[in-house]
Amino acid sequence: MTVTTQTVNVTVDGVAVEVPAGTLIIRVAEMLGTAIPRFCDHPLLSPVAACRMCLVEIEGQGKPQPACAIPVAEGMVVKTQHTSEMAQKAQAGVMEFLLINHPLDCPICDKGGECPLQNQAMTSGRGDSRFDGTKRTFPKPINVSAQVLLDRERCVSCARCTRFAEQIAGDHFIDLLERGAKQQVGISADQPFDSYFSGNTIQICPVGALTSAKYRFRSRPFDLVSTPSACEHCASGCSLRTDVRRGTVMRRLAWDSPEVNEEWNCDKGRFAFPYLREGRLTTPLVRDEDGNLVPASWPEALRVVAAGLKATGRQTGVLTGGRITLEDALAYNSFARDVLGTSDVDFRARAVSAEETAFLAHHVAGRGLDVTYGDLETAPAVLLVGIDPEDESPIVFLRLRKAALSRRTKVFSVAPYTTAGLAKMKGTLLAAGPREEVAAVHGASVHLTEPGSVIVVGERAATTPGLLKAVTELAATTQARIAWIPRRAGDRGALDAGLLPVNGRDTSAIVADAGTQVKGLVIAGVSANDVDGDLVAAVQRAQFVVSLETRHTDITAIADVVLPVAVVTEKAGTFRNWEGRDRSFKVATPVAGSMSDADVLGEIARELGSELKPNDFWSSVAKPELVATHTSAPSVGAGQAVLSSWHHLLDLGTLQEGEPYLAATSRVAVIRVSPNTARQLNLTDGATATVECCGLKAVAPVIETAGMADGVVWVPANSEGAALNLPSGTVVNVSGGAS
């Protein structure tokens, strides 16, 4: 079917052009290379014509009109400030009014040197000021949140921040208060700006009214060296810009990538970078005869590693975690299979299953751009299974919310309760606890009847036996496509590189068999809290353990050899995001002698008399059959419930360490139950309760949640006061009060 776009003819500054009907005047000017000054206009926000800086002359109109809010019409003749005295005087007048109360603090303002107000004051303002009164002032700064600070006297009421919060993020906690000369940005007295995306308001603020608590007064733009980069915190694949001063990362900004993150990113990707320097490993460590880890030279450490791995050989397990790049993943695959001769390799630093191994091999690995962000935006229906996008892939959440609000995409979620993110997407809950998810997925076929529908599967689906098999059956029945979205940035690349235990042991089996069938361990980016099983005990049982790490962890403390590797800013590489799209980045903070995981593995291979030979693993391997796992569910007794759990975006993860402003905005841990379950367990809404199992427990306030699945208790994983890092589906003890 051919879609015809209606066009109109318009003239701007004497240049005739044909453009799609409905195009805003300011966009037509941009197409012609004509810059019209503006503050409130943003291409991803709806027009509001608040600042009036973009006034132009339209033939036949008696007064200047805002170019950012008026669409062109057939035969329209527009004159900008370049050809119209009316437009030029109007813009100069607006600028004069804006500067009446604006402070002249450019030398100390964080926006100084990259400020649209500065630039446009030079191009559209007067050379002197006619205002001789006292400028309006406010106490400052105001904490909009722990990490966003407001200087109210700088604000020009452009409403960029409030429109972003309402239109893009769906967080209605910041607004313009008062009217006229008293108008100012503010928040509710009892409701902070609680948003995972608050940093975007700082970036799009055109005048430095909103600033970062971390970056405030730290640097000038002209002192920074900027490098295009990719975010390492989740599988969304955001483009970033890393700004460095004297070898230290000072800030990160979202970078324009229309096909992925558009111009946004989450606060974790923007602010969680102090770990790049703090607690870093800088020299190899080798355990001496007294059992102490002592510094060693690289040649000495490599000799010890080679000797240890020669002894363990094929009986070595390789666990890589999710921080590694695609290049590192290819090196680990070759190192395990070609150098060590082992198939006991797994990138999944979490609860795993044989069912998931087969699912990933058949439906995700090597499939390229099978489902993209664009497909999610145009899908008539999206079913979420085992994933809450706002917490686990924030840009997916933003794109789904955009689709749900603007294109009427229907979002359905198989989950225990309606999360805040699902509500912002105006989605529909298919209420199901971990043991009811299979039936819920089978029943979801009625929602995926239109062509182009997508089933989005998160890594948590692996914890429910039979769920991934049910997803594949649903896809076959409805012709919906499957998108797998893990939590970690390196997971998709690791999967495509072959770091999946085809014909070998998975993470759980490697941990369980350490010290017996698995003699040695090579561990990278995996901590004790990540895996299903006692990793610390496994390391202690193993004959020889080498850890490739960037920072000290519970594993480096007990490994036999610790080899320092480069953090993401010290190396060039590629993260392959959930789509299968490669997100390459360059070195931002070069450090002499710093080596990537791939570099270190290459040195070890040479010490072993071998070499790395990265190859297309999936083209030469027989994929395991996808068979549903059937296990009998343990009984739930009195005072017990079935656990449902996932990580908040901001938790106690090691890559967030050293960022107190970000940590202060994390969501507090709560214990969610349905009203029926609360009565059965004698829990009181708002009172403290304890959820515990297997030597772990969470203590937090109870939230009775209407519409939640009965018999289920939801607790966030790895959060302050809730370190209950257990797979969903675990039967836990629940009691009122702290124990």
Side-chain angles (χ1 to χ4, degrees), residues 265 291 515 529:
N265 75 332
N529 289 334

Side-chain angles (χ1 to χ4, degrees), residues 42-66:
H42 191 285
L44 298 180
L45 301 175
S46 62
V48 68
C51 72
R52 317 303 287 183
M53 192 64 215
C54 65
L55 294 173
V56 295
E57 179 182 352
I58 301 176
E59 190 175 275
Q61 299 287 332
K63 61 181 181 180
Q65 301 294 325

Side-chain angles (χ1 to χ4, degrees), residues 269-462:
R270 182 181 296 269
F271 297 118
F273 57 80
Y275 82 92
L276 295 169
R277 287 179 61 89
E278 298 180 9
R280 286 294 309 283
L281 288 164
T282 58
T283 186
L285 302 173
V286 175
R287 199 163 296 280
D288 63 15
E289 295 179 353
D290 297 325
N292 300 314
L293 277 177
V294 297
S297 66
W298 273 103
E300 178 187 358
L302 291 172
R303 285 194 296 270
V304 174
V305 170
L309 294 180
K310 280 181 181 178
T312 59
R314 295 176 180 271
Q315 292 181 295
T316 302
V318 179
L319 301 175
T320 63
R323 68 163 170 77
I324 61 174
T325 63
L326 176 61
E327 294 81 3
D328 292 334
L330 290 167
Y332 275 108
N333 183 58
S334 179
F335 184 77
R337 302 183 192 277
D338 301 327
V339 179
L340 299 179
T342 181
S343 296
D344 296 340
V345 55
D346 202 342
F347 70 89
R348 297 169 296 177
R350 52 180 172 79
V352 301
S353 68
E355 181 181 343
E356 185 196 29
T357 299
F359 169 82
L360 295 178
H362 279 279
H363 296 281
V364 183
R367 295 181 71 94
L369 294 172
D370 198 26
V371 179
T372 67
Y373 281 105
D375 294 328
L376 292 183
E377 278 203 20
T378 58
V382 174
L383 176 66
L384 306 175
V385 181
I387 184 171
D388 180 59
E390 188 180 34
D391 271 321
E392 298 177 88
S393 190
I395 300 304
V396 172
F397 161 73
L398 291 186
R399 299 293 289 267
L400 282 176
R401 184 174 190 274
K402 175 183 174 183
L405 298 185
S406 63
R407 293 184 174 86
R408 305 299 185 213
T409 296
K410 297 177 181 178
V411 180
F412 302 89
S413 177
V414 176
Y417 71 98
T418 299
T419 65
L422 183 62
K424 294 171 193 174
M425 294 185 285
K426 300 188 182 299
T428 300
L429 174 69
L430 306 180
R435 299 183 182 179
E436 304 160 334
E437 292 171 320
V438 173
V441 166
H442 283 308
S445 58
V446 297
H447 304 301
L448 304 179
T449 56
E450 295 184 60
S453 295
V454 177
I455 305 171
V456 176
V457 184
E459 62 182 36
R460 288 186 283 111

